[in-house]
Amino acid sequence: QVQLVESGGGLVQAGGSLRLSCAASGRTFSNYAAAWFRQAPGKERDFVAAINQGGGMSYYGDSVKGRFTVSKDNTKNTVYLRMNSLKPEDTAVYYCAADSTAFYSGLYYRPREYRYWGQGTQVTVSS
């Protein structure tokens, strides 16, 4: 079992920045790929970013490319999401997810590829 706890969400004005953190416990986090997804009210859970086990490979959803950066610190068992140039449409609950095989299939952008999930953290961007 891997337990994931997100933090760092909040209210920010458009154009501002936030950094989300996802702290993992329970297993060796270096064995797990991680990802961030987000879900706005009434919408599906969307892929934001993913990073492989070692942190050397990352992918982003089209809507956040160039603005968001995912990173992974295996010494701290933590994955981060740095969000810059935030827009009102970035408003959502952001979820951290982890799985040991998500990158092997190449389907790292699908929520069903991830076995472990955090409880989510709210990000609200005001215009």
Side-chain angles (χ1 to χ4, degrees):
Q1 287 280 4
V2 175
Q3 292 79 40
L4 303 172
V5 179
E6 302 99 331
S7 61
L11 174 64
V12 63
Q13 289 188 333
S17 298
L18 281 174
R19 189 181 79 160
L20 305 183
S21 299
C22 174
S25 62
R27 292 284 180 90
T28 304
F29 197 46
S30 58
N31 293 335
Y32 291 81
W36 290 93
F37 291 82
R38 66 186 183 186
Q39 189 166 19
K43 295 188 177 181
E44 294 184 351
R45 191 164 295 190
D46 288 336
F47 171 70
V48 176
I51 191 164
N52 70 337
Q53 283 83 338
M57 188 180 302
S58 58
Y59 297 96
Y60 296 91
D62 288 342
S63 62
V64 306
K65 282 180 183 177
R67 299 188 298 123
F68 290 12
T69 302
V70 61
S71 59
K72 192 171 185 271
D73 188 341
N74 286 328
T75 65
K76 297 182 179 179
N77 292 339
T78 302
V79 61
Y80 303 96
L81 184 68
R82 176 68 180 182
M83 306 185 294
N84 295 329
S85 303
L86 282 161
K87 305 174 182 180
E89 50 265 43
D90 294 318
T91 295
V93 177
Y94 282 70
Y95 296 93
C96 174
D99 194 274
S100 59
T101 64
F103 267 61
Y104 298 159
S105 66
L107 301 175
Y108 51 84
Y109 52 88
R110 295 201 318 185
R112 67 174 64 183
E113 299 299 308
Y114 296 87
R115 181 175 182 182
Y116 301 106
W117 290 83
Q119 82 289 348
T121 185
Q122 176 71 46
V123 172
T124 303
V125 184
S126 63
S127 58

